Amino acid sequence: MKSNISDVAKLAGVSPTTVSRVMNNRGYISQETRDKVDNAMKELNYFPNDLARALFNKRTNLIGLIVPTTTNPFFGELSFHIENICTSLGYKVLLCNSLSQMEKEQSYADMLMRNQVDGIIVGAHNRGISNYNQRNIAVVAIDRYLSKTIPVVGSDNYTGGTLATELLISKGCKNIIHMNGPVELETPATLRRKAYEDVMEGHGRQAITYEVRDPFRQQNHYEVIDRLFDECPNVDGLFASNDLVAASFIAEARKRGKDIPNDIKVVGYDGTETCQILLPELTTIRQPIALIAKTAVELLIKEIEGEYHDLPLETYLPVELIEGNTTGTIA
Amino acid sequence: MKSNISDVAKLAGVSPTTVSRVMNNRGYISQETRDKVDNAMKELNYFPNDLARALFNKRTNLIGLIVPTTTNPFFGELSFHIENICTSLGYKVLLCNSLSQMEKEQSYADMLMRNQVDGIIVGAHNRGISNYNQRNIAVVAIDRYLSKTIPVVGSDNYTGGTLATELLISKGCKNIIHMNGPVELETPATLRRKAYEDVMEGHGRQAITYEVRDPFRQQNHYEVIDRLFDECPNVDGLFASNDLVAASFIAEARKRGKDIPNDIKVVGYDGTETCQILLPELTTIRQPIALIAKTAVELLIKEIEGEYHDLPLETYLPVELIEGNTTGTIA
DNA sequence: CTGAAAGCGCTTACAG
DNA sequence: CTGAAAGCGCTTACAG
């Protein structure tokens, strides 16, 4: 049913070599031959087999994308932009949702190797696959340290954390608490926490951080928030390292009769389009997601094309404070 | 640098045939040979080349997924589930964000053909690629009619539309308006509109539907909502065919001094996890996204495996009404 | 300007 | 239980 290059050649009355040349626009071909071949391809509804091409060229133009889950709006948007940019540059994207599980990440990495991807973009939060680039394949990480030689791209987490914390202080909050992912992850996102701690210390305040073990399970948010309210009932400012956690906190606070922003002011992190639509009143630190995607893809492609030197190992793109009502003046 | 089957064979002191047999567990191999081969593979950090395998087997275990954009939480979640289920069944997913643009869809479809995908799941909203399955490739559509022979999987839109409209009526709304995508799309989602119209008619009310041309551009929401408030200032009930549109409406209504739910009650559609976290007060019709994904993948794999007969052409999975405060009793 | 041959990395009959 | 040969659908030197 599917036709191949020989079918086209036969129908056009030429050799497969010639068909290949027409497809790839290589060498000299008479217009007449070119037309014959084009017609034959159309007639047979011929699609060149990229697998066979890739086998020969040792280039698949395939890139693997590993994220925790596209369910999370940050990664949903990131995946969109990455795929979009890849496509515009002639690359295709194999999607992997690792759910931050190490075994899954490992088996995805193996799968990507078997499929001969030219490179991998890792937007997942776990550690563990430090042997990624030992296999000499191009790798770029999003907000995540993988090894000394793998470039990291992310938002300017330290500035983001600073902006968030200082805003809460300037709004008069006395007891500002921070919620973040597990510190063991060693992601650059812990810089958000560092900034919070530094700013708090700078103001002679005590920094208190609650760790959400698995930010992708909402049940986990609630457990931590429960504990937070038990232990710090007088909290009046919250900086969450992620908008969904901020939203969970707001809902739980309201259940406890707290008014936002009167009783507690809240700042999130990410500032996705989705969050801007669904929860526009949330004050947040917006990451430049499209720019992160673009930077990561361009870096990866440089690696793929053999530029291993002079690649910036850490790129932190500018964040933006979006002020909404959750830190607002009283209604 | 990368090793191939001959490298392994040489190191193990056997033929490539034997290595292949060990990898695929086919035929009889002595334990001794098996061990030698396994060791050689480990030593060389060998990854079998799935491209070469696929070329021979004429089976890539690759499936293409076309969605408008994973930025939208419904499609972000759908993509997650589809990928997840595919992986558990040994398939890999090529992600395509078409942004509902026909040219993009067309070029994605071509790309997928060249990459020899075994099947395609189309979750996009546009029409136009009716020649998808003429190329005799397995195709399943999500909430979208593509051709007479392509199975469609979606939520029970008619019931969803009925539940939403009847809820608004039972809450005492007098002027209920509906917002939906363009009717030309002929997606099963127009059944939400049909249900709205039928219920309204059944109650002797006038049905008024506002069409959002491009549900994936928020600017477009605002334009339509503006017009809606101009033309129907006394609206007191809104059924939006999508939670993001519902959220945009709520924001705009508040800007106009309207209280939700006192002045206007609002029901959305989709009920994604993200929306449940960011806007938990929204009353909505929840689609069973994981189930839709599972059903679509299973159907696709049946097609891939040659079962073209007795495939259900339309599968509508049960929806659930989630009541929140946007239709609630007054605070 | 065009074609025959070899090879990309695998697998599967076919022999032995 | 194991191996040599042919072939999956392409492309690229190499000839002509």
Side-chain angles (χ1 to χ4, degrees):
Chain A
M1 196 74 67
K2 259 178 199 163
S3 48
N4 61 24
I5 199 172
S6 309
D7 298 329
V8 176
K10 239 169 261 169
L11 185 61
V14 298
S15 76
T17 308
T18 299
V19 175
S20 170
R21 267 196 285 259
V22 171
M23 289 195 296
N24 296 291
N25 251 311
R26 238 186 281 290
Y28 296 89
I29 313 124
S30 71
Q31 190 57 48
E32 196 196 334
T33 310
R34 189 185 295 277
D35 291 344
K36 278 191 301 184
V37 171
D38 283 338
N39 289 334
M41 293 202 294
K42 227 162 254 161
E43 197 173 325
L44 293 173
N45 194 21
Y46 170 71
F47 284 89
N49 185 328
D50 272 2
L51 258 54
R53 278 217 247 236
L55 187 58
F56 186 93
N57 294 325
K58 295 171 174 309
R59 255 311 206 87
T60 53
N61 283 322
L62 218 48
I63 82 123
L65 172 62
I66 307 182
V67 294
T69 169
T70 52
T71 291
N72 179 284
F74 175 77
F75 289 107
E77 286 183 26
L78 186 70
S79 300
F80 162 71
H81 284 112
I82 286 177
E83 187 277 319
N84 218 21
I85 296 162
C86 281
T87 294
S88 75
L89 298 172
Y91 286 82
K92 301 150 278 185
V93 173
L94 273 172
L95 176 64
C96 309
N97 292 280
S98 74
L99 286 173
S100 299
Q101 293 170 221
M102 247 182 65
E103 329 79 70
K104 281 193 163 227
E105 283 204 8
Q106 190 59 62
S107 74
Y108 276 124
D110 288 355
M111 179 276 276
L112 294 174
M113 294 304 296
R114 290 196 309 271
N115 282 275
Q116 315 299 119
V117 295
D118 294 336
I120 303 180
I121 294 181
V122 188
H125 270 326
N126 252 332
R127 303 200 95 234
I129 315 186
S130 49
N131 48 342
Y132 264 12
N133 71 332
Q134 291 174 6
R135 300 166 180 178
N136 95 310
I137 177 166
V139 182
V140 168
I142 308 271
D143 243 2
R144 178 184 188 193
Y145 299 124
L146 285 174
S147 88
K148 300 280 177 221
T149 59
I150 296 179
V152 182
V153 178
S155 70
D156 184 347
N157 291 290
Y158 194 85
T159 299
T162 304
L163 287 171
T165 312
E166 280 181 343
L167 179 70
L168 288 170
I169 287 176
S170 79
K171 292 284 179 179
C173 299
K174 298 299 172 208
N175 302 294
I176 302 170
I177 291 180
H178 179 47
M179 292 181 70
N180 205 322
V183 73
E184 313 92 73
L185 290 191
E186 297 179 41
T187 84
T190 56
L191 287 175
R192 299 173 198 170
R193 174 179 180 158
K194 182 84 172 63
Y196 159 78
E197 289 168 351
D198 289 353
V199 170
M200 291 294 276
E201 194 184 349
H203 287 259
R205 312 278 189 93
Q206 195 200 346
I208 304 177
T209 299
Y210 279 80
E211 285 186 16
V212 181
R213 289 225 147 258
D214 184 351
F216 300 108
R217 288 190 45 241
Q218 211 196 346
Q219 187 49 44
N220 201 219
H221 299 184
Y222 295 141
E223 294 159 9
V224 178
I225 293 167
D226 249 4
R227 197 154 51 74
L228 187 157
F229 274 109
D230 275 359
E231 297 172 0
C232 311
N234 58 345
V235 50
D236 64 356
L238 183 93
F239 167 36
S241 72
N242 153 343
D243 289 338
L244 295 183
V245 170
S248 298
F249 178 87
I250 290 171
E252 289 296 304
R254 287 192 176 138
K255 274 189 200 154
R256 286 165 173 78
K258 304 284 190 183
D259 181 84
I260 314 287
N262 281 4
D263 301 326
I264 312 178
K265 301 198 196 310
V266 177
V267 182
Y269 203 104
D270 282 351
T272 58
E273 279 179 46
T274 295
C275 189
Q276 291 297 305
I277 298 176
L278 292 178
L279 190 59
E281 63 268 32
L282 179 66
T283 295
T284 191
I285 306 296
R286 179 190 283 157
Q287 300 202 52
I289 303 185
L291 186 57
I292 290 173
K294 183 162 180 284
T295 308
V297 172
E298 286 173 355
L299 220 48
L300 188 76
I301 290 179
K302 277 190 188 160
E303 279 188 53
I304 291 173
E305 290 176 348
E307 284 185 47
Y308 286 99
H309 306 295
D310 304 324
L311 287 185
L313 281 175
E314 305 191 15
T315 309
Y316 297 127
L317 284 338
V319 295
E320 188 188 351
L321 170 67
I322 312 275
E323 280 198 59
N325 279 330
T326 61
T327 51
T329 2
I330 286 80
Chain B
M1 197 74 68
K2 258 178 200 162
S3 48
N4 61 25
I5 199 171
S6 308
D7 299 328
V8 175
K10 239 169 261 167
L11 184 61
V14 298
S15 75
T17 309
T18 299
V19 175
S20 170
R21 268 196 286 259
V22 170
M23 291 196 293
N24 296 289
N25 250 311
R26 240 188 279 291
Y28 296 89
I29 314 123
S30 72
Q31 191 57 47
E32 198 198 331
T33 311
R34 189 185 297 276
D35 291 344
K36 278 191 301 186
V37 171
D38 283 339
N39 289 334
M41 293 202 294
K42 226 161 256 163
E43 198 173 325
L44 293 173
N45 194 20
Y46 170 71
F47 284 88
N49 185 326
D50 272 2
L51 258 56
R53 278 218 248 236
L55 186 58
F56 187 93
N57 294 325
K58 296 174 173 306
R59 256 306 209 89
T60 53
N61 283 322
L62 217 51
I63 81 124
L65 172 62
I66 308 182
V67 294
T69 170
T70 52
T71 291
N72 179 284
F74 175 77
F75 289 108
E77 287 182 27
L78 186 70
S79 300
F80 162 72
H81 285 113
I82 285 177
E83 187 277 319
N84 219 21
I85 296 163
C86 281
T87 294
S88 75
L89 297 172
Y91 286 82
K92 300 150 280 185
V93 173
L94 274 171
L95 176 64
C96 310
N97 291 280
S98 75
L99 286 174
S100 300
Q101 294 170 221
M102 247 181 66
E103 330 77 71
K104 282 195 161 223
E105 284 204 10
Q106 189 59 62
S107 76
Y108 275 124
D110 287 355
M111 178 276 276
L112 294 174
M113 294 306 294
R114 288 196 309 271
N115 283 275
Q116 314 300 117
V117 296
D118 294 335
I120 303 179
I121 294 181
V122 188
H125 270 326
N126 253 332
R127 303 201 94 235
I129 316 186
S130 49
N131 48 340
Y132 265 11
N133 70 333
Q134 290 173 8
R135 300 166 180 179
N136 92 310
I137 179 168
V139 181
V140 168
I142 309 270
D143 243 4
R144 177 183 190 193
Y145 299 124
L146 286 174
S147 87
K148 299 281 176 220
T149 59
I150 295 180
V152 182
V153 178
S155 71
D156 184 348
N157 292 291
Y158 193 86
T159 299
T162 304
L163 286 171
T165 313
E166 280 181 345
L167 178 70
L168 288 170
I169 288 177
S170 78
K171 292 284 181 180
C173 300
K174 299 299 172 205
N175 302 293
I176 302 169
I177 291 181
H178 179 47
M179 292 182 71
N180 206 321
V183 72
E184 314 90 74
L185 289 191
E186 298 179 39
T187 84
T190 56
L191 287 175
R192 300 174 197 167
R193 174 178 180 160
K194 182 82 171 63
Y196 159 77
E197 289 169 348
D198 289 352
V199 170
M200 290 294 274
E201 194 184 350
H203 286 260
R205 312 278 188 93
Q206 195 200 346
I208 304 177
T209 298
Y210 279 81
E211 286 185 17
V212 181
R213 288 227 149 258
D214 184 350
F216 300 107
R217 287 190 45 241
Q218 212 195 346
Q219 187 48 43
N220 200 221
H221 299 184
Y222 296 141
E223 294 160 8
V224 178
I225 293 166
D226 249 3
R227 196 154 51 74
L228 188 158
F229 275 109
D230 275 0
E231 297 173 0
C232 311
N234 57 346
V235 50
D236 64 357
L238 183 92
F239 167 36
S241 72
N242 155 342
D243 290 338
L244 294 183
V245 170
S248 297
F249 179 87
I250 290 171
E252 289 297 302
R254 286 190 176 137
K255 273 188 201 154
R256 286 165 175 77
K258 304 285 190 181
D259 182 84
I260 312 288
N262 280 6
D263 302 327
I264 313 180
K265 301 196 195 314
V266 177
V267 182
Y269 204 103
D270 283 349
T272 58
E273 280 178 45
T274 295
C275 189
Q276 291 298 302
I277 297 176
L278 292 177
L279 190 57
E281 63 267 33
L282 180 65
T283 295
T284 190
I285 306 296
R286 178 190 284 156
Q287 299 203 50
I289 303 185
L291 186 57
I292 290 174
K294 182 162 181 282
T295 307
V297 172
E298 286 173 355
L299 218 49
L300 188 75
I301 290 178
K302 277 190 189 163
E303 279 187 56
I304 290 172
E305 291 176 347
E307 285 186 46
Y308 285 100
H309 305 296
D310 305 323
L311 287 184
L313 280 175
E314 306 192 13
T315 309
Y316 296 126
L317 283 338
V319 295
E320 188 188 352
L321 170 66
I322 313 275
E323 279 199 59
N325 279 330
T326 60
T327 51
T329 2
I330 287 82

